[in-house]
Each structure stands twice: as C-alpha cells, then as structure tokens.
Amino acid sequence: MTISANWYLLLAAVLFCFGLVGVVSRRNILVVFMCVELMLNAANLTFLTFARQQGTMNGHAIAFFVIAVAAAEAAVGLAIVIAVFRTRGTLWMDEVSTLKN
Amino acid sequence: MDPKNLQVLVDVNLKSVAWFYPELWLIFGSMGVFILDLVWRKNRGRVRLLAGATLIVLACSGAALAMQPADAVSLFNGMIATDSFANFWKWLFLAAAALTVVISSGSQEFAPERIGEFFALLLAITLGMFLMASATNLLMIYMAIELVSMVSYVLVGYRRADRKAHEAALKYVIYGGVASGVMLFGMSYLYGLLGTANVTEFAVKLAALSQGFAGAAPGAAAATKLALVLATVFVSAGIGYKVAAVPWHMWCPDVYEGAPTPFTAFLSVGPKAAGFALAIRFFFGAFAGKMGATGLADSVAGIPWPAVVGVISAVTMTLGNLVAVVQTNLKRLLAYSSIAHAGYMLMGLAAVSATGMQSVMIYSAIYLVMNLGAFLVVILVAQSTGSESIFEYRGLARRHPVAAVAFAIFLFSLTGLPPFAGFMGKMYLFYALFERIGIPGGGWYATLALIGALNTAVSLYYYARIIRAMFLDPPYEKAAPVEASPGGQLLLGAFSAFILVFGVWWNPIVNWSARSLQIFRG
C-alpha cells in the first residue's frame, strides 16, 4: 500500500503550524528554538515529498543543505542562549526585556 | 548518473570559477584574517595591521570585480548568475564593508585583542551579501540569506557580558530563525508547484501553471492558487525581514540598539541593500515578464502584487516615521528612520519598472553614504560622552562644530531636502511612481506618492529636532567635550563632500545605475 503524497504534505503543514504557534505562544527560550527547528523540518518534508513526486533530485539536495544550516543555526542560537543565561540567570522570554521604547 | 553528464557538470563548475574570483578573495581572505589574528596576537599595532589586511582583501576582491567579464552568465549549474546588476550591488557591499572597517578600527567599542574576529566575520557577511545579489536558485537564496543572518547574530552579541547586546542577539536569532523557516516553507511550495528550484525558469513555469487553471476542476485550481499566494507571501516574509519592512521589522530597533555601533551602521546599509538586490532579482527577474511590463500583476494567481508592495511600503514608512518621532536614543531613532527608508525604497519596487529598479539602486548608493555618516557622528559623540541620548547633542555646534555641521548635512540629506544627495535619490523614487500613474489601474500610485510626501514632512520634524538641539540649545554646563581623531574628521568631511557633490552633480550615479540594469534571465 502506498500513501498518497497529499498526506505527507498535510503532515508537513501541521508540523509547520505547530512550530509557528509554538514560537508565538511559548515563553521558554529553548522551547522556542525547538519550534523553529520544527518549522525547518516541516519545510524539509515538503521538499522531499515534492522531489519524490516529481522524480527530481533538487529537493533531496536542498533538504541536506537545510539540515546542515539548521545545525549551524542551533549552534549559534544555543551559544547566544548560554550568554543570555550567564548575564541574567533566566531562560524566560518575558524577563529578557531591557530593550524597549 | 551517466559519466559523460557528470563530466559536463564538472566542466561547468570549473569554467564558472573564472567569474567567481571576487567571492574567492573574500572566502580565503576571511580565513586569512582569522590566521593573521592569531599570528599578530601580541603585536601592539595589531588593530592597524588587521584593518590594513582586511582592506587589502576587499581591494583585491574589488580588483577582481573590476576585471570581471561584463557579459551576463549563469554559473555553477544555475546556482548564481553574474551580470552588471549584481556587480553594481557588489561595489556597494565592498564600499560598506571597507568604510565599516575604517570606522570600527578607530572606535573604542572593539577591544584590540578581539577585533580580528570582527574583521574576518565582516568579510564573511560581505561574501553572503555578494551571493544574495547574484543567487538564482532557491537553495542559493536560502544559503546566502542564512550566511548573512547567522554571522550577524554573532556580531550583534559581540560585546561580552553586556546584557543589552545579548538580549539583542537573542531577539535577532529568534526573529531571524522564524523568518527563514517561514521563507523556506514558502520555497518548498514554490518548488513543488513549479517543479524547479531555478528562479530564472519561474516566469515560464508560472505562465504554464496559470494556463492549466482554465481546464482544471474549480476546486483544484483554487487550491493551487491559494498555495501559490501563500508561498509567495512566505518568501516575501524572508526578504521583508532582511530589509526590515513592516510587519517584519520588530527586531530592528532592539538589534540596532544592542549591537556595537559600527556594526549597527553596517547592518543598516549592507544587508538592507542586499535584501533589495534579492527582492529585485526575485520579483522582477522571476515573476515579472519582460522588463517594464506589468506582467507581475497577472502572473501570480491574479493578485495585484505591485499594489500589495505599495501597501507594505506605505505602512512601513508611516510606522517608521511616526515611532521615530518619540525616540530619545539616537541609535533607536536611526533604527526607525532606517525602517522608514526601507519603506521609501519599496516605492521603487512597487513601481515594477526599469525606472523603479534604477531608483532603488540609486537610493541604496546614496543611503549608504548618508546613513554611515550619521552613525559615524553618533559613534564620535558616544565615545566622548558615553551615551547615545539626544540630550548629549545639545550645543554640539559649540562643542564640536565640524561634527555638528556634518551631522546636519547627513540629516538634511536623509530628509531629502535639496541641494543634498538624498533629495536626488528621493526624486527618482517619486519619479518612478509618477511614471506609472498614467497606466490603466495605476491611480493608486498617486496615493502612494502622496503618502510618501507626507512622510517626508513627518521625518523632517524629528531630524530637525536633533538639529535644533545641536545648534540652538545651549550645552549643559558639565557636558563632556567632544573629541574626534583627525581620521574621523577626515571621514566626516569626505562623507559630507560626497553628499554635497552628488546633490548637484548626480549624472555619474544615474549613468552607472542605468548601465547596470541588465539582469540575467536564463
């Protein structure tokens, strides 16, 4: 039995929405970063689905690059989180708010 | 894969290197500066040596750029393209990087033992901006934006143990991550719907897709249209975030305030210009038909995209200017002013014409000089007084006349008053709109031009507030004396001269941008 491509697209869309809602609503910085990763992987899944459907290689290649970029972004992001934690002792978004109008 | 095909692919890559020397200089130069940073660790003149080495790398990249063959070619199997359009922006990026190196080597915000990292990473950002200006593949666009963004996150949080810097970096990385995630998701749908990741093939594929709507079942056609519109909006979000257009501007003031000021100056001119280069190549080159046609309006799912860009432009400049009025921190004020200027430049994008494109290019070049100049004054004053508050500028005309006069020139130019260069840039943006008023359904361009004119009046109010503080208000009795090094004064003079000269003699920039309108179209 093969599963139609639309189900994969639907799964990716749902994952993307989870990620987007999580970024907006969650207040813990680490959870926010996890939600960003979720969005990137939703995009990856869409790329792979379309690549399989059309039988082209571009989508597969893009997914590999995105994985590498996401890893680099996580490294930079976590380094910044550690720096913030050192100066403030909190991972709570609402307490990181010195800069405002 | 057939070995013969593989050989062709490899040959294309090897041949492409001939057009890739400017970027190669930046890649190896960036690594070289990292190594020199270690070699000269104990050297007392290391700031000067490292700044010199970085400038040499930029100069070599510029020389390679000048010697590049002029024809528009696609490189690396369609990943990037070089054409005179990309070269125009590359010159701007080189200028922005070189001026930032000069400004930051005289600034005290960078500890001498860590300035090497800053220079090397600045070269990496320049490389990213080069690729943004010439990317013709979805993957390359994403990678180039990420290269610029990721290095920017690091440099924004450059000052150690500084709560503001870390907070700014955190906000930047979260907004940036979300924006790139949204953009990537949009790209995945564009790839799926059009069956290619090559931007230069988009126009043809879009036309074919639109033809298919007629025969398809109504439900399927509507779903495809919706997906196409969503994908376009999502990709625009990534670009809008780079140029700091409303509603993707929220990071901008916080990041500008928290970052080291020379880097803030760079952020406000470099990556913003790169975002516009990318936007022009993506929307004009891929979505619009032949240059100057209104093809963009019909090609993407029947949505009037120029009008959408026009609305974003109007909202961006209005919000930027209105919020700037109440700012008292100069860095924040200039941040909102830079949002407003992104709005002005979007007017040129909304015009969807060769003139519109040219006006964005002209304005970017002038904006680079006047905004770097404004930030240079902020740096000089902050170095003497330790603050970026507008109250430190009271009586600057008496405390340091050169800085005050130069700042007044930059601010008048940012407002767009004659005879300064900013006036000429703005005139071209408005001209691009007026040209389009006559076309059928182009009446809204008049409204946009009116909003732009009203915004200019609002911006005069807050720029003039600074000028009043400098020239009319008496200085505080205990105000620290403002001192500027001879190099800093020379730079101020050079920037002012540029603004004054090109305010009355603008032919060179106009001709140069007119020659650079050639875009690679596959």
Side-chain angles (χ1 to χ4, degrees):
Chain A
M1 188 185 95
T2 53
I3 302 171
S4 105
N6 285 344
W7 291 105
Y8 287 102
L9 292 180
L10 187 68
L11 173 66
V14 169
L15 281 179
F16 180 79
C17 292
F18 279 169
L20 200 58
V21 170
V23 165
V24 177
S25 64
R26 299 305 292 261
R27 308 300 342 144
N28 186 313
I29 297 170
L30 286 178
V31 179
V32 169
F33 272 109
M34 282 156 64
C35 292
V36 172
E37 293 294 309
L38 209 54
M39 289 164 69
L40 292 179
N41 283 314
N44 267 347
L45 189 55
T46 317
F47 268 119
L48 290 177
T49 309
F50 282 127
R52 284 281 295 199
Q53 198 183 27
Q54 297 161 358
T56 51
M57 289 305 289
N58 300 359
H60 297 275
I62 292 177
F64 273 115
F65 276 95
V66 172
I67 291 168
V69 169
E73 191 163 305
V76 170
L78 288 180
I80 291 171
V81 169
I82 290 172
V84 168
F85 187 76
R86 276 201 186 139
T87 45
R88 292 174 201 252
T90 180
L91 282 179
W92 217 243
M93 285 285 264
D94 303 330
E95 290 172 29
V96 186
S97 56
T98 322
L99 296 168
K100 53 174 78 137
N101 288 334
Chain B
M1 185 182 276
D2 182 12
K4 222 175 184 178
N5 284 345
L6 194 64
Q7 189 59 45
V8 171
L9 285 181
V10 172
D11 283 347
V12 168
N13 280 345
L14 288 179
K15 228 183 253 171
S16 302
V17 171
W19 282 270
F20 204 58
Y21 285 130
E23 285 85 353
L24 286 178
W25 270 107
L26 291 175
I27 295 171
F28 290 106
S30 171
M31 294 179 199
V33 172
F34 269 122
I35 294 169
L36 288 178
D37 181 35
L38 295 177
V39 171
W40 288 330
R41 197 161 37 165
K42 296 267 168 64
N43 198 315
R44 283 171 67 198
R46 74 195 303 278
V47 175
R48 275 193 196 159
L49 285 172
L50 286 167
T54 315
L55 287 177
I56 289 173
V57 171
L58 290 169
C60 290
S61 177
L65 191 59
M67 286 190 287
Q68 211 164 33
D71 41 348
V73 280
S74 174
L75 307 182
F76 300 111
N77 299 298
M79 278 293 161
I80 61 174
T82 71
D83 41 31
S84 57
F85 173 75
N87 288 355
F88 176 90
W89 294 98
K90 286 174 185 175
W91 283 114
L92 292 195
F93 303 150
L94 283 178
L99 291 171
T100 308
V101 168
V102 173
I103 291 173
S104 49
S105 63
S107 150
Q108 289 150 8
E109 282 192 64
F110 300 96
E113 54 275 11
R114 289 184 63 218
I115 203 164
E117 301 164 19
F118 176 75
F119 289 152
L121 291 176
L122 200 65
L123 289 177
I125 295 194
T126 312
L127 170 69
M129 296 192 302
F130 268 47
L131 295 176
M132 271 173 83
S134 49
T136 54
N137 187 296
L138 289 181
L139 175 60
M140 204 59 232
I141 292 176
Y142 175 71
M143 301 285 288
I145 288 187
E146 282 293 295
L147 178 55
V148 173
S149 300
M150 235 180 281
V151 184
S152 304
Y153 306 149
V154 175
L155 290 184
V156 166
Y158 180 87
R159 286 185 293 196
R160 275 193 194 144
D162 181 327
R163 288 161 63 96
K164 273 187 179 178
H166 293 161
E167 181 180 335
L170 180 71
K171 286 184 172 165
Y172 202 15
V173 80
I174 289 177
Y175 280 122
V178 173
S180 70
V182 168
M183 183 181 66
L184 192 71
F185 196 69
M187 283 178 173
S188 70
Y189 270 84
L190 275 186
Y191 167 68
L193 292 169
L194 303 177
T196 176
N198 197 335
V199 174
T200 50
E201 293 171 16
F202 275 12
V204 180
K205 301 265 182 182
L206 270 171
L209 193 69
S210 310
Q211 295 246 307
F213 286 154
T224 312
K225 268 189 188 174
L226 181 68
L228 201 53
V229 171
L230 267 184
T232 312
V233 169
F234 279 8
V235 173
S236 315
I239 298 171
Y241 148 83
K242 270 260 92 55
V243 304
V246 175
W248 308 288
H249 68 287
M250 279 92 86
W251 58 274
C252 185
D254 291 351
V255 167
Y256 279 24
E257 190 182 344
T261 316
F263 186 62
T264 306
F266 179 77
L267 266 187
S268 70
V269 296
K272 196 187 281 280
F276 275 104
L278 182 58
I280 289 175
R281 189 183 288 279
F282 191 76
F283 289 110
F284 284 37
F287 283 79
K290 279 219 162 37
M291 186 56 62
T294 44
L296 193 66
D298 328 308
S299 60
V300 188
I303 301 253
W305 291 105
V308 173
V309 176
V311 169
I312 293 175
S313 154
V315 174
T316 302
M317 58 185 149
T318 310
L319 186 132
N321 278 326
L322 288 183
V323 184
V325 167
V326 296
Q327 300 301 321
T328 52
N329 179 313
L330 260 269
K331 266 164 109 178
R332 280 190 95 81
L333 188 144
L334 285 176
Y336 281 107
S337 131
S338 93
I339 294 175
H341 282 272
Y344 298 139
M345 285 192 255
L346 282 172
M347 293 198 306
L349 199 62
V352 205
S353 62
T355 321
M357 194 166 114
Q358 194 187 351
S359 67
V360 174
M361 293 160 83
I362 295 172
Y363 203 80
S364 297
I366 293 166
Y367 181 68
L368 182 129
V369 176
M370 57 191 183
N371 218 37
L372 278 183
F375 271 109
L376 181 59
V377 178
V378 172
I379 292 168
L380 291 178
V381 173
Q383 253 168 21
S384 308
T385 63
S387 156
E388 285 121 15
S389 162
I390 191 171
F391 303 111
E392 300 293 347
Y393 290 76
R394 289 174 59 118
L396 190 66
R398 264 175 262 170
R399 288 151 65 205
H400 198 297
V402 174
V405 170
F407 203 18
I409 291 175
F410 302 141
L411 291 174
F412 278 131
S413 180
L414 282 168
T415 317
L417 294 179
F420 303 100
F423 166 72
M424 183 277 269
K426 232 176 215 171
M427 193 182 72
Y428 265 85
L429 286 172
F430 280 105
Y431 174 66
L433 289 187
F434 287 135
E435 217 184 43
R436 303 296 272 173
I437 289 176
I439 64 162
W444 62 272
Y445 281 113
T447 318
L448 183 58
L450 183 67
I451 294 174
L454 288 176
N455 266 288
T456 303
V458 174
S459 73
L460 179 62
Y461 174 76
Y462 63 84
Y463 290 133
R465 202 164 51 119
I466 307 172
I467 292 169
R468 195 190 66 187
M470 289 194 302
F471 285 91
L472 299 181
D473 291 353
Y476 289 124
E477 291 194 357
K478 284 184 193 158
V482 175
E483 284 162 16
S485 63
Q489 299 201 24
L490 197 68
L491 215 50
L492 281 180
F495 283 155
S496 310
F498 178 95
I499 299 288
L500 290 172
V501 167
F502 286 104
V504 289
W505 182 60
W506 52 66
N507 278 342
I509 299 186
V510 174
N511 292 342
W512 180 33
S513 60
R515 279 198 310 272
S516 306
L517 285 174
Q518 166 212 35
I519 285 192
F520 178 78
R521 288 165 168 282

